[in-house]
Amino acid sequence: VKEHGGGSLMMYEPGTAQKTLERILLENELRKSVQKGHFTLEYQPKMNLELGELSGVEALVRWNHPDLGRIPPDTFIPLAEETKIIVPLGEWILRQACKQAWQWRKQGFKPFRIAVNMSTVQLEEPDIVSTIKRVLHEEDVTPEFIEIELTESSFADREEMRHTIQAIREIGITVAIDDFGTGYSTFSYIKELPADTLKIDMSFIQDIDVNEQSRAIVKAIVTLADTAGLRVIAEGIETEEQAKLLLTLGCKEGQGYFYSKPVPADECEYMIPKTVEY
Ligand code: C2E
Ligand code: CA
Ligand code: CA
Ligand code: CA
């Protein structure tokens, strides 16, 4: 085992140096791609489960690297968070979602919210609220077209987070707590964070038809949401049976491959109702 001066590249485990090198290379590529704009957004419909009608969409970022191909968000988002590259990237994502909201509006589609994912790393930026306001203003989009899905990715100052979320909701943007029921996002969370919606983690949905415990947890989250006056949505619905079960448990909104995978904007347009024309 070698001692290195800075201590950051010590090789205690086989593979560590390799991983560190890969990380540094990936971080470098990530920075270049943010500058060159090698990202796109895909959209996944959110459905009213009773009517089978689109009620909103979630925007999901895609990294299309010219040589490495498509790199999944689960690989690069954590790195973007650690390195704070998520701050400029996140602003680009919000702006892109706003541009799409404006487009759909202009095309005469029924108004609905585009949900944009944001990590607590982004919300910890001291000027995040004014950045959000500025982007919406510059893209000529009003707040009722935007929702923020919040994932707690690292320990964040709860008191600070509460204030930020409250300020975002005061603009008129709604806030959903993503992956609800897992990690930090447990029941005590909603006492501290003023959200509009609980998004039930897909791990509880995927075995809802075979696992009684998952059913009980979903039921408990729906009851909790009702009591607290929050909306509830299920993600990761892959079968009709799961959708039907969710309805019997009182969950009336959902998304998942059963309805549609995340797709480019024009591919999900056929699912969006047009506004009534007189
Ligand atoms: P998430 O926000 O929980 O998004 C749900 C993930 O599940 C998406 O993966 C989506 O494509 C996938 N999914 C949707 N329906 C189904 C289904 O029926 N079955 C299964 N098995 N999967 C389904 P994706 O797009 O790879 O994103 C992974 C994660 O990366 C997201 O989890 C989110 O935490 C993060 N992410 C994605 N886009 C953004 C973004 O624009 N900003 C930030 N900060 N994070 C993002
Ligand atoms: Ca999400
Ligand atoms: Ca989620
Ligand atoms: Ca997730």
Side-chain angles (χ1 to χ4, degrees):
V1 177
K2 278 191 180 173
E3 279 277 355
H4 285 251
S8 58
L9 277 175
M10 289 190 286
M11 286 175 269
Y12 292 117
E13 280 171 47
T16 304
Q18 178 67 28
K19 276 187 195 146
T20 306
L21 183 61
E22 274 173 19
R23 252 187 62 106
I24 291 167
L25 293 175
L26 202 62
E27 178 180 340
N28 192 33
E29 289 306 313
L30 198 52
R31 281 188 206 285
K32 277 199 281 186
S33 280
V34 171
Q35 265 163 19
K36 293 185 177 167
H38 291 152
F39 296 89
T40 51
L41 294 189
E42 284 189 340
Y43 298 88
Q44 185 178 37
K46 296 186 179 189
M47 307 297 290
N48 177 316
L49 300 180
E50 278 173 316
L51 306 173
E53 237 177 44
L54 183 142
S55 57
V57 299
E58 177 178 6
L60 294 149
V61 70
R62 302 291 176 243
W63 181 11
N64 314 299
H65 190 280
D67 309 318
L68 301 172
R70 197 179 253 213
I71 299 159
D74 285 331
T75 308
F76 73 85
I77 293 287
L79 181 63
E81 288 174 345
E82 282 166 47
T83 55
K84 300 262 183 139
I85 297 173
I86 194 70
V87 174
L89 177 58
E91 184 174 333
W92 181 87
I93 292 166
L94 176 64
R95 187 177 299 280
Q96 214 50 37
C98 286
K99 285 185 194 298
Q100 192 57 57
W102 196 91
Q103 275 296 324
W104 278 333
R105 181 97 210 264
K106 198 183 71 175
Q107 288 169 259
F109 289 111
K110 183 195 93 167
F112 57 85
R113 290 185 193 263
I114 298 184
V116 176
N117 289 284
M118 281 194 192
S119 70
T120 47
V121 174
Q122 282 170 272
L123 295 188
E124 273 171 334
E125 285 298 293
D127 58 354
I128 184 66
V129 177
S130 55
T131 300
I132 293 172
K133 277 191 195 160
R134 179 172 48 76
V135 171
L136 264 69
H137 181 76
E138 284 166 0
E139 299 305 328
D140 197 16
V141 167
T142 47
E144 67 265 26
F145 290 94
I146 302 295
E147 175 158 80
I148 285 171
E149 290 190 10
L150 175 70
T151 321
E152 185 154 47
S153 47
S154 62
F155 181 79
D157 181 335
R158 286 288 167 86
E159 191 55 22
E160 195 186 304
M161 207 45 59
R162 206 168 63 80
H163 279 108
T164 305
I165 293 171
Q166 198 46 46
I168 290 171
R169 293 178 71 222
E170 274 161 22
I171 302 173
I173 294 172
T174 51
V175 174
I177 299 177
D178 210 340
D179 304 338
F180 192 79
T182 65
Y184 301 96
S185 132
T186 54
F187 283 43
S188 70
Y189 203 75
I190 62 155
K191 215 178 79 186
E192 294 170 44
L193 293 184
D196 300 279
T197 303
L198 303 181
K199 193 165 193 183
I200 308 171
D201 190 73
M202 69 172 85
S203 59
F204 304 116
I205 312 303
Q206 306 235 293
D207 64 356
I208 198 169
D209 28 11
V210 291
N211 189 333
E212 210 171 307
Q213 213 175 349
S214 287
R215 261 196 313 269
I217 289 166
V218 169
K219 178 82 197 138
I221 296 175
V222 170
T223 306
L224 174 76
D226 281 346
T227 312
L230 304 172
R231 297 164 62 91
V232 67
I233 179 166
E235 67 178 351
I237 303 173
E238 292 185 355
T239 67
E240 186 170 15
E241 198 186 355
Q242 290 165 352
K244 284 186 174 157
L245 260 167
L246 281 162
L247 268 174
T248 68
L249 295 172
C251 178
K252 299 193 178 92
E253 210 184 346
Q255 69 187 100
Y257 295 167
F258 176 61
Y259 299 100
S260 170
K261 292 196 173 198
V263 289
D266 57 333
E267 279 176 49
C268 80
E269 281 168 7
Y270 77 96
M271 297 185 78
I272 312 174
K274 288 266 187 178
T275 40
V276 189
E277 280 171 44
Y278 295 93

